[in-house]
């Protein structure tokens, strides 16, 4: 953990799941956060969610009996990964700002 | 009202198949059941639905795939029908055109596109080898048994199978090119 960069999709998914959301909610949230730039496709999101569940970076909440939609939320382990990634991104941005003329 | 159309698409012609099914939907025929050589349609309002055809690993009824359909259902994409092949399946999905998730693309990043391309490539290689073997057997049955003369039925089958093998090879090459392009893309972009 830590030495690899997160993909843009995973970064935004983790960021979105600081409060519980279902699949489509994640797509909407990511699109909004990125001002329409990142449009997650359903298959890609599904694959990412399953990998994140296996890594225990997110967890599935019990289904809402009314809507029957499965919701997901970030775990403490996921939050650590997100914080480490943010540090890495900060470094990139700082160096970019400092060195790009 | 239901209507049946007879049409055959070869494996690997998913895009063509999807395009045809979308044209049918635009004319008011929504696919309902899929057989090896036919499609059953339901008459609906023209232009209301979009159809997606995709390949998945395993059987159309596997637990993993069922879970995927449930996930899609939450976004307004529903499973219509599927067809099993050895080790993989085709699934037919529909989504209302006016729904929020109005997308035909199932994969949005390079990684998942590479994985999907690899799945199709693997199946095409398997199918092409299988058909080549059946073709060789037919060739032997047609010309290899000199005491029985030439079997024209087997000769005819050999020609058909040879044509399919050529199609398979062309598809494999195009999959390899797509995979190569994606991998080159991945070296610099996500």
């Amino acid at each position: 953990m830590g030495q690899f960069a997160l993909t843009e999709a995973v970064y935004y998914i983790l960021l979105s799941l600081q409060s519980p959301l279902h699949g489509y909610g994640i797509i909407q949230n990511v699109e909004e956060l990125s001002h329409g730039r990142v449009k997650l496709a359903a298959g890609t999101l599904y694959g990412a969610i399953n990998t994140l569940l296996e890594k225990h970076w997110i967890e599935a909440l019990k289904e809402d009996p009314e809507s029957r939609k499965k919701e997901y939320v970030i775990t403490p382990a996921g939050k650590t990964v997100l914080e480490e990634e943010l540090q890495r991104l900060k470094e990139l941005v700082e160096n970019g700002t400092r060195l790009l003329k | 009202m239901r209507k049946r159309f007879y049409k055959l698409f070869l494996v690997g012609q998913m895009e063509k198949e999807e395009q045809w099914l979308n044209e049918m939907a635009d004319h008011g025929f929504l696919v309902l059941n899929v057989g090896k050589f036919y499609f059953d349609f339901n008459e609906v309002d023209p232009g209301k639905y979009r159809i997606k055809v995709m390949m998945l690993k395993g059987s159309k009824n596997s637990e993993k795939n069922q879970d995927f359909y449930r996930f899609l259902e939450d976004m307004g994409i529903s499973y219509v029908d599927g067809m099993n092949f050895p080790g993989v399946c085709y699934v037919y999905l529909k989504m209302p055109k006016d729904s929020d998730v109005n997308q035909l693309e199932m994969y949005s990043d390079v990684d998942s596109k590479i994985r999907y391309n690899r799945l199709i490539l693997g199946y095409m290689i398997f199918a092409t080898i299988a058909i080549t073997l059946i073709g060789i057997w037919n060739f032997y049955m047609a010309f290899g048994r000199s005491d029985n003369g030439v079997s024209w039925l087997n000769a005819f089958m050999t020609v058909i199978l040879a044509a399919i093998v050529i199609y398979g090879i062309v598809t494999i090459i195009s999959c390899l090119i797509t995979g190569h392009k994606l991998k080159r893309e991945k070296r610099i972009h996500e």
Side-chain angles (χ1 to χ4, degrees):
Chain A
M1 242 189 270
Q3 67 265 50
F4 294 120
L6 297 182
T7 65
E8 197 171 68
V10 166
Y11 178 72
Y12 268 137
I13 291 168
L14 288 176
L15 210 53
S16 300
L17 289 180
Q18 290 185 92
S19 48
L21 279 176
H22 53 82
Y24 183 54
I26 299 174
I27 293 185
Q28 278 179 314
N29 197 53
V30 169
E31 196 172 340
E32 211 177 290
L33 280 174
S34 65
H35 303 291
R37 190 177 57 83
V38 182
K39 290 191 174 88
L40 291 176
T44 296
L45 175 65
Y46 181 76
I49 284 181
N50 277 322
T51 311
L52 293 174
L53 285 171
E54 277 165 31
K55 282 184 171 282
H56 301 290
W57 290 0
I58 62 169
E59 59 189 3
L61 296 176
K62 278 214 176 98
E63 272 176 44
D64 179 352
E66 258 176 47
S67 66
R68 287 183 53 246
K69 288 180 181 174
K70 220 189 237 176
E71 287 195 321
Y72 308 90
V73 74
I74 198 166
T75 62
K79 203 146 187 187
T80 311
V81 173
L82 201 51
E83 276 157 8
E84 282 172 5
E85 178 67 2
L86 190 62
Q87 285 309 313
R88 192 187 69 85
L89 291 173
K90 270 185 186 159
E91 177 207 300
L92 292 181
V93 171
E94 273 165 22
N95 281 331
T97 323
R98 191 163 53 86
L99 296 172
L100 187 71
K101 283 165 193 155
Chain B
M1 216 182 70
R2 282 194 182 199
K3 223 167 172 165
R4 177 168 286 191
F5 285 84
Y6 291 89
K7 208 168 165 88
L8 173 68
F9 288 96
L10 294 174
V11 175
Q13 285 187 309
M14 268 177 293
E15 278 166 33
K16 233 176 161 179
E17 193 170 345
E18 185 178 300
Q19 197 188 344
W20 180 67
L21 290 172
N22 274 310
E23 277 164 22
M24 292 300 284
D26 286 343
H27 288 105
F29 293 102
L30 181 66
V31 64
L32 192 69
N33 285 311
V34 183
K36 293 263 185 243
F37 305 102
Y38 65 84
F39 295 84
D40 283 335
F41 293 89
N42 228 351
E43 271 188 78
V44 293
D45 292 339
K48 236 186 142 175
Y49 290 94
R50 223 170 245 268
I51 303 293
K52 176 79 202 166
V53 185
M54 68 187 297
M55 192 188 268
L56 293 174
K57 238 187 248 175
S59 146
K60 62 178 182 181
N61 294 321
S62 77
E63 212 171 294
K64 232 179 148 187
N65 288 339
Q66 299 273 0
D67 186 62
F68 181 51
Y69 312 146
R70 266 196 303 275
F71 180 83
L72 293 177
E73 196 69 46
D74 284 356
M75 320 197 170
I77 303 172
S78 29
Y79 172 83
V80 176
D81 200 3
M83 198 189 290
N84 285 328
F85 293 96
V88 296
C89 63
Y90 262 30
V91 294
Y92 298 80
L93 307 166
K94 67 170 180 194
M95 52 200 112
K97 269 191 176 171
D98 56 9
S99 80
D100 298 323
V101 182
N102 186 1
Q103 50 178 7
L104 274 179
E105 286 288 325
M106 272 290 151
Y107 298 105
S108 52
D109 67 1
V110 183
D111 271 320
S112 44
K113 280 180 189 164
I114 289 177
R115 263 198 300 277
Y116 186 58
N117 188 61
R118 204 178 292 151
L119 178 71
I120 297 173
L121 176 65
Y123 186 73
M124 285 310 296
I125 291 174
F126 161 78
T128 305
I129 290 173
I131 291 169
T132 306
L133 294 177
I134 300 170
I136 291 171
W137 180 80
N138 263 285
F139 184 79
Y140 171 75
M141 293 304 274
F143 305 106
R145 302 174 306 165
S146 49
D147 46 330
N148 290 355
V150 173
S151 158
W152 293 108
L153 178 66
N154 289 119
F156 175 72
M157 283 305 291
T158 307
V159 174
I160 301 269
L161 292 169
I164 298 177
V165 168
I166 291 168
Y167 159 79
I169 292 170
V170 170
T171 312
I172 288 170
I173 291 170
S174 106
C175 268
L176 286 171
I177 292 171
T178 307
H180 178 73
K181 276 186 191 159
L182 286 170
K183 275 179 200 150
R184 205 175 47 190
E185 181 68 20
K186 209 192 144 182
R187 255 179 248 150
I188 44 167
H189 287 124
E190 187 181 286

